[in-house]
Amino acid sequence: MKRLIVFLALAPSIMFSQQDLLEDVEIDDSAAYESAAFKGLKIVNFESTKMVSQKELYFVVSHRFGTIKTGIDDFFGLDQAVTRLNLIYGITDGINLGISRSSFQKTYEGSLKLRLLRQKEGASPVTVVLFNSALINTALDEVGLPGLEFKHRVGYAVSALISRKLNNNVSLQLTPTFFHDNLVSLEEQDNAQFALGIGGRYKLTKRWSLNMDYGWHLNRADNSPFKNALSIGFDLETGGHVFQLHFTNAQPMNTNYFLGQATGDWGDGDIFFGFNLSRVF
């Protein structure tokens, strides 16, 4: 099992070519591969099966304000914001390589994305992409954690992104995920954790869509204070980039953290407003 996980984490990742982001979503050519199921590289929290074209560079700025529950005291979360900067490059038409830095736990992450199948009538009913990531938590303090070693800062994740574009308006995705944290916040929590992501997109207009995803943690400790991540958002495509606006109960944006450490509760109004902005070079 460990060998399989290491292999997947190191496997190269893919991408698809595109002239314009909008063309990827709107073109419906049944004689060729199905056009992109999603406009953005993310649905909301989860990676989508959309990929970066060869020799293209994406710069993604992700921002999550603090909980809006605090009201005017924190200006509805403005004073407690988390930011993530991510660079993603298309090595070939089949491989994406990414590197990011998040202010949450001062986390650095590297990622690889590999497309195994692409939706095509008569060939494959779905698009299948592997997303692999490894992160380093640089905020851990040896004073507060005696015996802290470098290995305790490391975590990694492997996701299978399985999407189907049902028609020009509706796309769905399942995302079974394995993630491992070498150091967990609760003794009762297994280091190896499993989750199932469910997401989708519904096109509202030519440039706007409604997106939603949910992460169901399958082996969370019974005494864990953390919640399953539920996110709702809107995508705006403007030709050169995709602008995503969303609400979620998970402030962190790395896979291990939004699946394993979501603290908000929709029922209590404890949610976070944020956005993802992608620019293509």
Side-chain angles (χ1 to χ4, degrees):
M1 179 64 180
K2 291 183 178 179
R3 292 181 179 178
L4 176 60
I5 293 169
V6 171
F7 171 78
L8 292 175
L10 295 177
S13 327
I14 323 186
M15 47 159 277
F16 63 76
S17 60
Q18 70 178 50
Q19 295 297 321
D20 180 271
L21 296 175
L22 185 59
E23 292 177 356
D24 277 349
V25 179
E26 302 302 333
I27 296 175
D28 183 9
D29 184 359
S30 59
Y33 289 111
E34 185 58 79
S35 53
F38 297 92
K39 290 182 180 180
L41 295 171
K42 284 181 173 288
I43 303 175
V44 181
N45 274 319
F46 283 94
E47 293 285 327
S48 76
T49 51
K50 175 180 173 62
M51 302 186 73
V52 178
S53 299
Q54 185 175 13
K55 295 184 179 180
E56 284 189 345
L57 176 67
Y58 272 56
F59 179 53
V60 184
V61 178
S62 300
H63 200 74
R64 295 274 168 83
F65 297 98
T67 175
I68 64 175
K69 187 178 181 180
T70 58
I72 197 64
D73 288 344
D74 282 333
F75 203 73
F76 299 95
L78 181 64
D79 297 339
Q80 305 297 330
V82 168
T83 301
R84 184 185 184 209
L85 305 178
N86 195 6
L87 286 171
I88 306 151
Y89 183 69
I91 302 297
T92 70
D93 282 346
I95 301 172
N96 284 359
L97 174 65
I99 185 169
S100 71
R101 201 276 188 182
S102 172
S103 60
F104 184 84
Q105 300 296 333
K106 300 181 180 179
T107 301
Y108 293 86
E109 181 182 270
S111 66
L112 289 168
K113 209 169 182 180
L114 169 67
R115 185 175 59 209
L116 303 181
L117 293 173
R118 191 171 179 183
Q119 184 178 343
K120 183 178 182 182
E121 185 175 349
S124 174
V126 295
T127 296
V128 179
V129 172
L130 287 181
F131 178 74
N132 320 277
S133 63
L135 60 79
I136 300 174
N137 179 338
T138 66
L140 295 176
D141 191 340
E142 294 182 7
V143 176
L145 294 169
L148 180 70
E149 300 179 28
F150 176 78
K151 66 180 181 181
H152 296 134
R153 300 180 183 274
V154 177
Y156 50 90
V158 180
S159 299
L161 319 176
I162 307 167
S163 74
R164 177 167 173 79
K165 185 174 181 180
L166 302 180
N167 52 52
N168 280 338
N169 294 328
V170 180
S171 299
L172 299 175
Q173 181 174 301
L174 290 177
T175 311
T177 300
F178 167 84
F179 64 104
H180 188 283
D181 293 316
N182 287 342
L183 179 66
V184 291
S185 56
L186 295 173
E187 290 185 4
E188 296 81 1
Q189 180 62 61
D190 293 337
N191 298 89
Q193 300 171 66
F194 302 87
L196 177 62
I198 303 169
R201 168 188 177 269
Y202 179 76
K203 187 176 73 172
L204 300 173
T205 69
K206 188 176 182 180
R207 296 189 178 276
W208 284 94
S209 69
L210 172 66
N211 288 18
M212 180 182 297
D213 60 30
Y214 177 73
W216 179 23
H217 195 296
L218 301 176
N219 64 326
R220 196 186 304 279
D222 293 337
N223 64 336
S224 174
F226 302 119
K227 312 292 184 181
N228 290 336
L230 172 62
S231 308
I232 301 171
F234 296 90
D235 281 9
L236 171 63
E237 195 281 323
T238 62
H241 63 268
V242 173
F243 188 47
Q244 298 180 301
L245 303 168
H246 48 256
F247 293 91
T248 177
N249 65 328
Q251 190 181 33
M253 289 162 275
N254 300 86
T255 299
N256 295 52
Y257 296 154
F258 78 74
L259 284 175
Q261 300 184 36
T263 58
D265 189 329
W266 279 83
D268 292 336
D270 188 11
I271 55 178
F272 308 90
F273 172 70
F275 63 82
N276 299 326
L277 175 62
S278 301
R279 183 66 195 177
V280 187
F281 296 95

